[in-house]
Amino acid sequence: MSRSVVVWLHGLGDSGPANEPIKTLFTSPEFTNTKWFFPSALSSPVTCNYGHEMPSWFDIHEIPVTADSPKDENGLLKAVRNVHALIDKEIATGTNPNNVFICGFSQGGALTLASVLLYPKTLGGGAVFSGWVPFNSSIIEQITPEAKRTPILWSHGMVDSTVLFKAGQAGPPFLEKIGVSCEFKAYPGLAHSISNEELRYLELWIKARLQSSS
């Protein structure tokens, strides 16, 4: 079994270690050689938190997040560079890019989307949970043909009042327009949180895309 990498990006105000229990749900033998990463965002002033500092990948101007909320592209691109450095390091030590999966919840989901689309190579996949499109369409020119081949799984709770369901729904049409394949899953009754049902599906989704060592 070849080595794979899963990077999990937490939401606003959260931390990497708090999310580590997620990996215990991935019990299939395919995950025996998986290296998990749960990085933590540094604390910085956040506009929607009245400028108080909290762990944040980039600035968020308003909650609830809508499809039209203002975007902090500079902060986002800085966070993307850090995620890319982590991926580069793993690929340099011999991991096949096709076995690298980036996943994230809420703000981490938005960062997942940007990290996958702006990575120059095709990765195994990107999974966005309760996220949104965190950049303006001007960024599209920076997306390579290789990046457009990375599949996206997008899951969103239908009663989410923090990142509105409509903000999530705006993702797939945006991706289709630029030629990225996206599977969208709506979860009735789910608010702004991640469910075991979503994670069980993520396990199957990653498993189906893992490249066995040739």
Side-chain angles (χ1 to χ4, degrees):
M1 224 32 222
S2 58
R3 191 172 53 174
S4 58
V5 166
V6 177
V7 180
W8 185 274
L9 302 169
H10 66 73
L12 180 69
D14 203 354
S15 77
N19 286 268
E20 286 189 18
I22 286 171
K23 68 180 178 193
T24 60
L25 299 172
F26 290 68
T27 51
S28 305
E30 283 83 353
F31 292 93
T32 330
N33 288 335
T34 300
K35 202 167 164 187
W36 290 81
F37 289 93
F38 292 89
S40 292
L42 298 171
S43 281
S44 55
V46 176
T47 304
C48 69
N49 194 31
Y50 309 105
H52 297 303
E53 293 207 353
M54 65 195 302
S56 182
W57 300 110
F58 51 89
D59 195 18
I60 293 182
H61 290 268
E62 59 185 23
I63 298 271
V65 175
T66 70
D68 305 308
S69 289
K71 298 166 176 51
D72 169 27
E73 280 192 1
N74 289 339
L76 173 73
L77 293 173
K78 218 169 111 180
V80 164
R81 284 195 290 275
N82 290 331
V83 176
H84 285 180
L86 194 161
I87 301 170
D88 288 342
K89 212 173 132 197
E90 288 311 300
I91 291 174
T93 59
T95 303
N96 180 340
N98 293 118
N99 282 337
V100 175
F101 295 85
I102 316 288
C103 315
F105 172 70
S106 191
Q107 189 190 35
L111 176 56
T112 292
L113 185 69
S115 299
V116 166
L117 292 179
L118 293 171
Y119 197 69
K121 300 184 168 106
T122 307
L123 298 173
V128 178
F129 295 91
S130 317
W132 67 93
V133 178
F135 45 74
N136 301 306
S137 51
S138 57
I139 224 161
I140 292 171
E141 292 98 85
Q142 298 175 46
I143 304 172
T144 66
E146 288 74 25
K148 289 180 182 177
R149 288 203 286 273
T150 302
I152 305 281
L153 169 66
W154 196 306
S155 309
H156 213 110
M158 291 177 77
V159 293
D160 191 333
S161 58
T162 305
V163 177
L164 300 185
F165 183 63
K166 275 203 158 78
Q169 269 183 315
F174 164 80
L175 290 168
E176 271 153 40
K177 204 169 66 200
I178 59 176
V180 174
S181 83
C182 176
E183 179 182 348
F184 186 79
K185 288 181 77 69
Y187 288 83
L190 182 66
H192 193 64
S193 63
I194 192 151
S195 68
N196 281 358
E197 190 189 350
E198 286 178 303
L199 292 168
R200 277 197 299 272
Y201 189 77
L202 176 65
E203 178 178 27
L204 295 172
W205 190 82
I206 291 180
K207 216 160 81 168
R209 283 161 184 77
L210 280 175
Q211 313 281 317
S212 56
S213 43
S214 45

